[in-house]
Amino acid sequence: MRAETTLTPVEGFEAPALGEPYLLTPGPLTTAYAVKQAMLRDWGSWDGDFRAMTADLRRRLLALTGDRNNEFDCVPMQGSGSFCVEAMLGSFVPKDGKVLVLANGAYGLRAAQTMQYLGRAHTLIDKGDYLPPRGEEVAAALDADPSITHVIAIHCETSSGILNPLAEIAQAVQARGRKLLVDSMSAFGAIALDVNEIRYEAMVSSANKCIEGVPGFGFVIARKTELVAAKGRSHSLSLDVHAQWAAMEKTGQWRFTPPTHVVAAFIEALKMHEAEGGVAGRGARYTKNRDVMVAGMRELGFETLLSDRWLSPIIVTFFCPADEKFVFDRFYELMKSKSFIIYPGKLTVVESFRVGCIGRMDEHVMRRVVEAARQSLAEMGVASAAPPRAALEERAKLAA
Ligand SMILES: *Cc1c(COP(=O)(O)O)cnc(C)c1O
């Protein structure tokens, strides 16, 4: 079904395009017109102009980390975010290393699955659908197993929207002399990951999340000492972070065909990110988006999976209403007909759906999201958006 309505534009936050819905999804997401427009020309990958673009991109990304002493470097990698996670794990974990994977959702479990594919030793703390891995648990696991060399943590676990307590995890890891790798895919650019405050060896994110670019590549930001040490470790030619870094340092080029248009769009997105006030400005807009949207949805009777303490400004999980007249697929289509694409939930115990707060949208758009939800409930004949008792019991586990 195509969107029936095209929203009147909000100044500075134009409706995506005629008939194009807003993507309330955590990537791909709604991008600015200028970002899309930047893709309207072709670039030679070996040409000096494109090499300068690659250098500019790396420099701009590094600037977001607070790396004042020039200890880190940025290595873009072709592919989606998962390619980068695999590249990071395969390049920074020695073949005889052992990784503690902290999971509380799909992306943590994917990291564990990646370790399985790599055939390298790993162990898992699995907290289920959304409970946060805490610093003390990490400390206890590291104390119990001296053979663990690395820990991988998910910054914002996008499957529930929980913002994991990275600072206390990093502290536990550093105090025990182990190394932290971070999947900050859906957080980087909107939530600070300052190298002066949180100790980590490497992190990954991708073009189509909080920087608001289009999909096509990701990037690894790592300590140069780790990049040097990674030589010869990777299980994969195309996912070898050291080789990509060494080639870029030497020639200014990507080793294999780069997604040239995506890079051009990303540089435009980075300029817009800077103009908005960088990480703080971007984070403030997303926080406002979340606050306005969550308050409105709660007014309609919806309840969030997470208590306010753990809610990220990235994506929010809501329980599906108990009312029998509520059918998610119908709700989805009704929301889409009002120009909003939402996201199904990923909880195993109770039914849920998710609404993203990231992308080229502001609080005015979020107010319309709430209004669209109100109308959709009315059209379905749902009297109350209150969740079933089982959902609230599930949530009580978080407080325990
Ligand atoms: C988006 C995302 C990924 C990568 O997913 P892809 O579909 O491969 O781009 C990894 N981790 C987290 C936390 C994410 O949000």
Side-chain angles (χ1 to χ4, degrees):
M1 199 190 335
R2 249 182 101 74
E4 287 156 12
T5 51
T6 298
L7 299 173
T8 41
V10 174
E11 202 187 336
F13 290 85
E14 69 276 12
L18 200 63
E20 188 183 324
Y22 281 95
L23 302 180
L24 303 169
T25 54
L29 37 63
T30 293
T31 57
Y33 191 78
V35 168
K36 293 183 258 255
Q37 206 170 30
M39 293 188 283
L40 289 175
R41 72 157 278 188
D42 306 313
W43 301 91
S45 63
W46 49 266
D47 183 69
D49 291 345
F50 186 72
R51 282 191 245 182
M53 286 159 65
T54 298
D56 185 35
L57 174 155
R58 293 172 68 196
R59 187 184 54 71
R60 285 174 182 275
L61 284 172
L62 271 176
L64 302 182
T65 65
D67 172 32
R68 289 189 285 267
N69 305 327
N70 203 18
E71 288 171 310
F72 284 74
D73 211 342
C74 171
V75 188
M77 302 285 297
Q78 295 95 330
S80 86
S82 301
F83 291 57
C84 273
V85 175
E86 185 166 340
M88 172 172 75
L89 290 170
S91 299
F92 297 126
V93 180
K95 293 205 166 93
D96 60 354
K98 181 171 181 181
V99 178
L100 170 62
V101 180
L102 307 180
N104 56 340
Y107 293 104
L109 293 176
R110 190 179 295 173
Q113 192 184 17
T114 305
M115 289 308 299
Q116 229 151 11
Y117 269 78
L118 293 181
R120 295 188 197 173
H122 63 286
T123 178
L124 179 66
I125 293 182
D126 184 1
K127 302 287 308 229
D129 280 346
Y130 57 84
L131 296 177
R134 301 306 303 259
E136 317 94 74
E137 293 171 90
V138 175
L142 294 179
D143 288 339
D145 186 349
S147 69
I148 294 171
T149 54
H150 292 70
V151 176
I152 179 163
I154 314 295
H155 196 177
C156 170
E157 176 47 83
T158 324
S159 52
S160 66
I162 190 169
L163 190 56
N164 282 323
L166 201 60
E168 67 182 43
I169 291 168
Q171 232 159 29
V173 175
Q174 184 182 8
R176 282 155 190 81
R178 319 300 172 87
K179 293 180 170 179
L180 180 64
L181 307 174
V182 183
D183 170 352
S184 185
M185 207 70 67
S186 64
F188 187 77
I191 298 170
L193 185 53
D194 191 310
V195 298
N196 306 294
E197 274 150 37
I198 293 185
R199 169 82 199 195
Y200 59 87
E201 308 309 310
M203 57 129 301
V204 285
S205 184
S206 72
N208 60 286
K209 303 249 166 149
C210 297
I211 307 290
E212 300 186 355
V214 303
F217 72 93
F219 48 91
V220 179
I221 293 178
R223 285 181 193 276
K224 288 180 188 168
T225 48
E226 293 294 322
L227 285 164
V228 170
K231 186 171 185 180
R233 267 193 202 142
S234 181
H235 61 297
S236 158
L237 170 71
S238 53
L239 297 178
D240 186 335
V241 178
H242 173 88
Q244 180 92 328
W245 175 65
M248 263 181 199
E249 287 294 282
K250 197 165 164 212
T251 68
Q253 293 178 47
W254 303 50
R255 280 176 307 160
F256 312 126
T257 304
T260 47
H261 302 77
V262 178
V263 168
F266 192 69
I267 289 169
E268 185 59 33
L270 278 166
K271 288 179 185 164
M272 294 180 80
H273 182 267
E274 186 179 315
E276 193 175 350
V279 176
R282 185 59 50 94
R285 170 159 61 86
Y286 291 171
T287 300
K288 189 86 190 162
N289 283 355
R290 177 200 63 196
D291 290 348
V292 164
M293 188 266 293
V294 167
M297 293 293 277
R298 282 180 177 158
E299 246 169 67
L300 298 179
F302 284 105
E303 302 238 17
T304 58
L305 162 73
L306 302 171
S307 60
D308 292 353
R309 164 163 188 199
W310 299 107
L311 278 186
S312 69
I314 308 301
I315 188 165
V316 178
T317 298
F318 293 96
F319 293 123
C320 287
D323 191 319
E324 294 173 341
K325 294 206 183 101
F326 184 91
V327 179
F328 176 76
D329 291 350
R330 172 115 173 90
F331 184 64
Y332 179 91
E333 290 300 336
L334 288 168
M335 289 295 286
K336 183 174 174 184
S337 74
K338 295 167 179 52
S339 280
F340 297 111
I341 300 273
I342 59 171
Y343 221 41
K346 266 194 178 171
L347 302 183
T348 46
V349 182
V350 287
E351 271 199 275
S352 62
F353 65 91
R354 293 175 289 169
V355 181
C357 310
I358 66 179
R360 191 76 188 152
M361 310 174 295
D362 66 358
E363 62 191 281
H364 301 288
V365 175
M366 297 319 261
R367 285 202 183 88
R368 294 172 178 175
V369 173
V370 173
E371 177 54 22
R374 191 189 65 72
Q375 283 177 17
S376 300
L377 290 180
E379 286 166 58
M380 295 169 82
V382 174
S384 161
R389 182 190 297 265
L392 299 178
E393 281 165 7
E394 177 74 9
R395 190 173 63 182
K397 280 196 220 157
L398 244 184

